[in-house]
Amino acid sequence: VCVCVCVCACVRMGVCLSVCVVSRALGLSTAIRLVLAEPRYIPSLSMYPTFDIGDRLIAEKVTYRFNREPLRGDVIIFTPSEGVVKKAYFNPFSDNVFIKRIVATAGDTVEVSGGKLIVNGVVRDEPYIKDGSIKSYSLDKVTVPKGYVFVMGDNRDNSYDSHIWGPLPVKNIIGRASWKYWPPSAWGEVNKADALNE
């Protein structure tokens, strides 16, 4: 308000009103993006076929703050752990984020053997992964520590994820992929077809 009053003293009323409206709109959109939800785009094939390069989605930020803990099957966006990528200056709108699916949560054991993901000793049925199996690697049994999740891309053979750099701290999660809005043919909620909630 003070800025608007100062501007009004210096310029005509029409310009003052425009500056005030634009300032408030920018403030509101920034607050929404920091607290409620933000748009994201898919830059790689690591989540193919669930998401393709150029797909766009909304990541909501309310569920994990007020409703529930992250679950197996949730598709999340997150900042990578320290040392996973080159460190950058703090930027809340950085594009240096990853998108992956949670495959195990705190206390779970996870391994990859014979091309299959095994969680808590049970082979997982994963109809959403590319080619139906993992061909390029195996993973010895890992127990996910408290405060962490284990994340993997749906394109398992082409994903830089927890099978390489280990469990992800829950505090690094930015939000949950909730709505796909591009391309228009894929418009809709990221639901059980895309995120196998349990």
Side-chain angles (χ1 to χ4, degrees):
V1 175
C2 294
V3 171
C4 292
V5 170
C6 291
V7 171
C8 285
C10 299
V11 296
R12 294 185 325 202
M13 191 60 157
V15 173
C16 176
L17 183 59
S18 296
V19 169
C20 289
V21 169
V22 169
S23 297
R24 288 180 182 161
L26 286 173
L28 179 62
S29 68
T30 300
I32 288 170
R33 187 168 180 181
L34 286 173
V35 178
L36 299 177
E38 68 180 75
R40 285 289 170 177
Y41 72 94
I42 306 301
S44 75
L45 287 172
S46 72
M47 284 296 291
Y48 185 80
T50 303
F51 296 105
D52 203 347
I53 293 175
D55 285 359
R56 296 184 181 269
L57 59 91
I58 297 292
E60 63 86 9
K61 301 179 177 187
V62 176
T63 297
Y64 301 146
R65 287 185 184 157
F66 303 110
N67 191 19
R68 65 170 172 84
E69 295 291 315
L71 299 175
R72 273 181 255 135
D74 286 352
V75 176
I76 60 170
I77 63 165
F78 58 92
T79 54
S81 299
E82 192 170 326
V84 172
V85 294
K86 186 177 178 181
K87 192 170 185 174
Y89 294 106
F90 174 74
N91 177 357
F93 303 123
S94 171
D95 283 334
N96 191 20
V97 298
F98 288 11
I99 179 168
K100 305 290 179 205
R101 185 182 302 274
I102 297 174
V103 298
T105 57
D108 288 341
T109 60
V110 60
E111 61 187 300
V112 174
S113 180
K116 298 293 183 185
L117 175 69
I118 303 166
V119 178
N120 298 327
V122 178
V123 174
R124 298 300 312 239
D125 178 30
E126 299 181 291
Y128 44 80
I129 71 168
K130 186 176 185 305
D131 299 330
S133 68
I134 304 165
K135 297 173 179 60
S136 63
Y137 64 89
S138 61
L139 175 72
D140 292 335
K141 188 182 290 185
V142 174
T143 300
V144 182
K146 183 177 181 180
Y148 287 76
V149 293
F150 201 91
V151 297
M152 299 175 89
D154 289 353
N155 187 355
R156 298 287 160 80
D157 292 315
N158 187 25
S159 179
Y160 185 54
D161 55 33
S162 288
H163 88 274
I164 296 170
W165 39 260
L168 172 77
V170 170
K171 67 180 182 177
N172 288 34
I173 297 174
I174 296 169
R176 181 179 65 88
S178 61
W179 194 270
K180 190 187 299 187
Y181 66 91
W182 191 263
S185 60
W187 173 273
E189 185 177 5
V190 177
N191 56 26
K192 291 184 180 179
D194 291 334
L196 188 63
N197 291 312
E198 300 179 351

